[in-house]
């Protein structure tokens, strides 16, 4: 039962496992405390392993209709005022799932809140055949509120004709920096994220081999889960791995993950991933006080101040990535200065408390 002045929200979304930015950030929403919001939660548990995300499985159909049944029952029982839903970015399977879910749950009396953790929906809509576009219109158009993670996302969601738009940057918990002795023989470069080729994996491996050939003593750690056997075979057979320049260390969490960040000297994330938006791993790198090299892609320019706490490069540009890494390798003082700026910007803009406060305030905009 809904109490006066309490906004009763049904949150439908993923929480870990699997570990990725969206699931972690939705978990943080559920952990937030706000006197004016009552949160009811139904978990999307279509995939518990990262290599299953976005792929067809007959069991997912059963889970889809179980989710819809639970949601409809909860809406009726709890007198839900609004539904919070994170739309898929790209991919016919997750978009079809969204369409079915939203067509069953949308109700004129219940406000709809979209939180765009992933981007790319507009490009799918523009290329869609008339029948798909018809159902996308029915499912997605005219939400009460769209929450974007970056100012750079706002234009991309306008095709949905939202009544309101809010921008809320991600945030991560404040962790004290430990005094960790760095390896003086090698400069350690870190990539963190699921091992997907469009996150720039091969580009970074190629650059590693070129820098090694120039005589630089570097080590590149790739921290994250393999997303397919084909990708695993491809990257592990790369010359940089064979020469022990690059190392794939798998998924790490908690203190072990933060220790890996703090043992690094440079963070590289040359992504052009289709669903990329506002990578949590960049916030974690800022939290660890690292200089960052990443792409001018989606919401990333909201995180990196070019020339201040790192560098922005053109997507897919192997040459620019090599140049910027080489500059940081040659100037340790610049690495230290940019790393300090990363930590400073993180504490000002991207902490967990700031995120939780802002996301709750944004959700309340749908009540007005």
């Amino acid at each position: 039962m809904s109490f006066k002045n309490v906004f009763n929200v049904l949150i439908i979304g993923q929480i870990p496992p699997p570990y990725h930015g969206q699931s972690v950030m939705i978990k943080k929403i559920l952990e937030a405390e706000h006197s004016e919001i009552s949160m009811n939660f139904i978990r999307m548990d279509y995939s518990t392993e990262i290599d299953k995300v976005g792929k067809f499985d007959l069991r997912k159909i059963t889970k889809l209709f179980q989710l819809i049944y639970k949601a409809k029952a909860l809406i009726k029982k709890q007198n839900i005022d609004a539904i919070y839903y994170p739309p898929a970015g790209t991919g016919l399977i997750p978009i079809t799932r969204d369409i079915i879910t939203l067509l069953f749950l949308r109700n004129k009396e219940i406000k709809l809140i979209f939180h765009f953790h992933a981007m790319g929906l507009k490009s799918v809509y523009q290329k869609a055949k008339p029948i798909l576009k018809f159902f996308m219109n029915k499912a997605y158009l005219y939400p009460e509120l769209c929450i974007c993670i970056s100012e750079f996302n706002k234009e991309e969601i306008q095709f949905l004709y939202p009544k309101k738009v809010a921008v809320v940057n991600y945030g991560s918990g404040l962790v004290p920096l430990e005094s960790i002795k760095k390896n003086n023989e090698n400069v350690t470069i870190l990539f963190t994220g699921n091992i997907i080729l469009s996150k720039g994996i091969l580009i970074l491996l190629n650059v590693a081999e070129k820098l090694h050939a120039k005589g630089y003593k570097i080590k590149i750690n790739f921290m994250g889960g393999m997303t397919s056997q084909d990708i695993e075979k491809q990257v592990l057979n790369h010359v940089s791995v064979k020469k022990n320049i690059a190392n794939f260390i798998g998924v790490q969490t908690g203190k072990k993950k933060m220790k890996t960040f703090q043992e690094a000297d440079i963070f590289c994330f040359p992504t052009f991933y289709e669903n990329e938006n506002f990578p949590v791993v960049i916030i974690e790198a800022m939290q660890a006080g690292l200089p960052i090299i990443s792409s001018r892609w989606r919401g990333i320019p909201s995180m990196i101040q070019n020339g201040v706490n790192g560098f922005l490069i053109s997507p897919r540009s192997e040459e620019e990535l090599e140049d910027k890494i080489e500059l940081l390798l040659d100037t340790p003082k610049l690495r230290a200065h940019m790393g300090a700026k990363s930590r400073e910007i993180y504490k000002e803009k991207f902490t967990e408390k700031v995120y939780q406060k802002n996301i709750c305030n944004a959700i309340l905009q749908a009540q007005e």
Side-chain angles (χ1 to χ4, degrees):
M1 184 179 209
S2 219
F3 295 95
K4 187 177 181 182
N5 297 325
V6 173
F7 195 40
N8 213 4
V9 181
L10 170 59
I11 295 178
I12 300 173
Q14 301 166 330
I15 58 173
Y19 285 88
H20 51 76
Q22 180 176 155
S23 66
V24 170
M25 288 299 115
I26 290 177
K27 186 172 185 290
K28 291 186 186 299
I29 295 173
L30 295 170
E31 293 170 348
E33 295 182 2
H34 201 292
S35 60
E36 296 178 54
I37 302 175
S38 174
M39 296 187 188
N40 305 268
F41 176 63
I42 293 179
R43 182 182 182 184
M44 289 181 177
D45 62 347
Y46 304 119
S47 305
T48 56
E49 298 176 9
I50 196 63
D51 61 349
K52 305 297 182 186
V53 173
K55 298 176 182 177
F56 179 76
D57 187 328
L58 282 173
R59 290 171 294 182
K60 291 184 179 182
I61 298 175
T62 301
K63 289 183 176 182
L64 169 62
F65 285 100
Q66 287 175 341
L67 182 148
I68 291 170
Y69 176 80
K70 289 177 184 176
K72 289 183 76 69
L74 194 58
I75 287 168
K76 184 177 180 180
K77 181 180 178 181
Q78 297 295 339
N79 193 21
I80 296 296
D81 298 309
I83 295 172
Y84 164 103
Y85 194 87
T90 59
L92 186 58
I93 291 172
I95 286 174
T96 301
R97 174 204 69 202
D98 283 357
I99 290 171
I100 293 170
T101 304
L102 293 166
L103 288 179
F104 271 100
L105 298 184
R106 288 199 71 165
N107 184 317
K108 290 182 180 179
E109 296 180 0
I110 299 175
K111 296 178 177 182
L112 183 61
I113 302 168
F114 285 144
H115 193 173
F116 282 89
H117 299 272
M119 300 303 293
L121 188 64
K122 182 180 179 180
S123 64
V124 175
Y125 182 82
Q126 290 173 331
K127 297 173 186 176
K129 293 181 179 180
I131 186 65
L132 177 58
K133 189 168 287 188
F134 171 82
F135 284 108
M136 290 182 78
N137 286 341
K138 291 287 186 183
Y140 292 111
L141 293 193
Y142 309 112
E144 182 69 23
L145 172 68
C146 282
I147 302 173
C148 300
I149 305 171
S150 166
E151 289 285 342
F152 294 94
N153 300 152
K154 291 170 72 174
E155 184 179 348
E156 194 170 337
I157 56 89
Q158 288 301 323
F159 79 103
L160 299 176
Y161 302 105
K163 293 181 182 177
K164 299 168 187 172
V165 176
V167 176
V168 179
N169 297 153
Y170 278 165
S172 183
L174 184 62
V175 177
L177 289 181
E178 296 181 18
S179 179
I180 293 177
K181 187 177 181 180
K182 305 275 187 177
N183 185 334
N184 293 324
E185 292 185 5
N186 294 310
V187 174
T188 301
I189 298 167
L190 178 65
F191 169 97
T192 303
N194 296 313
I195 308 304
I196 299 169
L197 296 186
S198 57
K199 286 184 180 279
I201 304 296
L202 294 179
I203 291 172
L204 187 49
L205 286 170
N206 291 340
V207 168
E209 166 61 13
K210 289 179 179 179
L211 291 171
H212 178 73
K214 288 181 178 181
Y216 287 103
K217 294 182 178 180
I218 59 170
K219 184 78 173 178
I220 300 186
N221 289 325
F222 290 83
M223 179 167 57
M226 294 289 179
T227 53
S228 76
Q229 290 182 345
D230 288 342
I231 290 175
E232 183 174 9
K233 183 178 179 181
Q234 190 172 351
V235 299
L236 294 184
N237 283 325
H238 194 279
V239 63
S240 290
V241 179
K242 297 290 188 182
K243 291 184 177 180
N244 202 32
I245 306 163
N247 186 31
F248 288 82
I249 61 177
V251 176
Q252 296 184 359
T253 60
K255 291 182 178 179
K256 188 175 181 181
K257 179 180 182 180
M258 186 48 63
K259 186 172 184 288
T260 300
F261 269 103
Q262 293 182 0
E263 287 175 340
D265 299 288
I266 301 168
F267 185 77
C268 282
F269 194 70
T271 184
F272 49 95
Y273 176 48
E274 301 82 356
N275 291 344
E276 201 75 78
N277 189 7
F278 201 90
V280 175
V281 293
I282 291 180
I283 297 177
E284 291 171 332
M286 293 170 67
Q287 181 182 11
L290 294 178
I292 301 160
I293 303 172
S294 191
S295 315
R296 289 185 186 87
W297 187 250
R298 298 277 168 65
I300 294 174
S302 295
M303 313 171 80
I304 299 170
Q305 296 179 24
N306 193 38
V308 177
N309 67 318
F311 296 110
L312 291 166
I313 62 171
S314 303
R316 300 179 176 86
S317 178
E318 199 170 295
E319 182 180 352
E320 287 185 40
L321 180 62
E322 182 181 354
D323 286 346
K324 296 308 181 187
I325 293 178
E326 194 166 359
L327 175 59
L328 289 177
L329 292 175
D330 288 337
T331 49
K333 287 185 178 180
L334 181 61
R335 292 203 306 266
H337 175 76
M338 286 186 162
K341 284 293 183 181
S342 276
R343 178 74 174 179
E344 184 181 307
I345 294 168
Y346 159 75
K347 290 171 75 174
E348 179 184 347
K349 298 177 62 177
F350 300 119
T351 65
E352 183 177 291
K353 286 185 177 180
V354 171
Y355 170 67
Q356 289 177 321
K357 176 184 176 182
N358 290 342
I359 194 67
C360 287
N361 289 339
I363 288 171
L364 280 173
Q365 290 184 36
Q367 186 184 32
E368 298 170 358

